[in-house]
Amino acid sequence: MVLNQVIKLLQSKYHYKEEAKTICDKVQVKLSKECFHPSSTCITDLRTLHWEEAIQETKGGAANRILAEECYFLWKSTRLQHMILAEDVKAMLTELRKEVRLLLLTNGDCQTQREKIEACACQSYFDAIVVGGEQKEEKPSPSIFYYCCSLLGVQPGDCVMVGDTLETDIQGGLNAGLKATVWINKNGIMPLKSSPMPHYIISSVLELPAVLQSIDCTVNMSA
């Protein structure tokens, strides 16, 4: 677990005890509620502030920006080290790309997402990569899907959206009128009745080739 490295740092170097886990738990909550506006702050400042606030809320006293920065950069570097594209996924993408065009579309801050892409070295497996934070609108807005289609030189009705988030990936694909949507339900969760309904559901991305073959073996895919 990524946060375990920060807990070890706080316990060994700064002699925190149970407070170390409390601080990390607080940061997790702050990350889950994070609202990032690139026009007003940068992601590094915002996430360092999460750590600074968590430390101050737990330990009291004056804000400790230096410790917050140390925690943040350790958390970030450890997180990036764990972002590895599995060999079987690489093989699948390589085979798929012989038949279809692949585009990686991700929401989020451009710095953060580009660092993740670089860390997992996935660039060579896609014909194009689009980061929502670099565009006017993100998923589920149809505009970013139309932009992706234009990059690939295809029509929305020729594309399939594959993703693990119903509210952005699947809803976005539906909004844009794509040929099909495929939801990767890794945890086997039961979606809410109000959730968007994908055309196909798989439990692993490795099931994707079979699904695409059932849709159309020559489909152009946006993943």
Side-chain angles (χ1 to χ4, degrees):
M1 182 178 176
V2 174
L3 286 171
N4 283 345
Q5 297 301 315
V6 183
I7 292 173
K8 289 177 182 177
L9 169 74
L10 292 172
Q11 291 176 337
S12 61
K13 185 175 179 180
Y14 296 96
H15 308 295
Y16 287 15
K17 295 180 181 178
E18 64 275 2
E19 306 103 309
K21 186 177 185 305
T22 301
I23 289 168
C24 289
D25 288 344
K26 286 180 178 291
V27 169
Q28 281 282 67
V29 173
K30 293 176 187 295
L31 287 168
S32 69
K33 297 179 179 179
E34 185 176 86
C35 292
F36 176 63
H37 303 287
S39 59
S40 59
T41 186
C42 74
I43 195 69
T44 297
D45 288 342
L46 177 63
R47 291 187 169 170
T48 300
L49 182 61
H50 291 337
W51 286 98
E52 189 174 335
E53 291 176 344
I55 293 166
Q56 193 170 23
E57 289 165 7
T58 304
K59 296 290 289 182
N64 191 335
R65 182 74 176 186
I66 294 175
L67 176 56
E69 288 177 344
E70 187 175 3
C71 290
Y72 166 65
F73 285 112
L74 176 59
W75 170 81
K76 176 182 170 180
S77 63
T78 305
R79 187 169 177 239
L80 290 174
Q81 288 168 12
H82 283 77
M83 291 184 178
I84 300 171
L85 198 60
E87 292 301 321
D88 51 3
V89 175
K90 290 180 182 179
M92 180 199 71
L93 292 172
T94 299
E95 288 302 309
L96 281 179
R97 204 167 171 212
K98 294 176 182 178
E99 303 292 335
V100 300
R101 277 164 278 182
L102 303 179
L103 183 145
L104 173 63
L105 171 59
T106 178
N107 276 0
D109 164 64
C110 56
Q111 176 187 328
T112 302
Q113 299 306 87
R114 290 292 176 184
E115 287 173 345
K116 290 179 183 178
I117 292 164
E118 186 73 25
C120 68
C122 65
Q123 301 95 318
S124 63
Y125 296 94
F126 294 92
D127 296 282
I129 294 176
V130 175
V131 176
E134 298 171 350
Q135 305 300 317
K136 291 181 179 180
E137 296 180 300
E138 296 187 309
K139 299 178 289 183
S141 171
S143 66
I144 196 166
F145 289 88
Y146 299 152
Y147 174 69
C148 291
C149 291
S150 69
L151 283 182
L152 295 179
V154 298
Q155 295 299 312
D158 294 326
C159 294
V160 176
M161 178 65 200
V162 182
D164 60 6
T165 305
L166 288 170
E167 293 73 21
T168 55
D169 298 326
I170 304 308
Q171 186 63 65
L174 296 171
N175 291 346
L178 302 190
K179 183 169 188 172
T181 56
V182 181
W183 180 38
I184 306 171
N185 185 7
K186 293 176 289 189
N187 299 317
I189 64 173
M190 183 66 67
L192 300 173
K193 289 184 178 180
S194 58
S195 297
M197 182 62 66
H199 297 90
Y200 299 88
I201 301 175
I202 56 180
S203 60
S204 166
V205 71
L206 297 176
E207 299 171 35
L208 184 57
V211 172
L212 291 180
Q213 190 170 24
S214 72
I215 299 171
D216 183 345
C217 65
T218 60
V219 72
N220 296 288
M221 182 178 63
S222 171

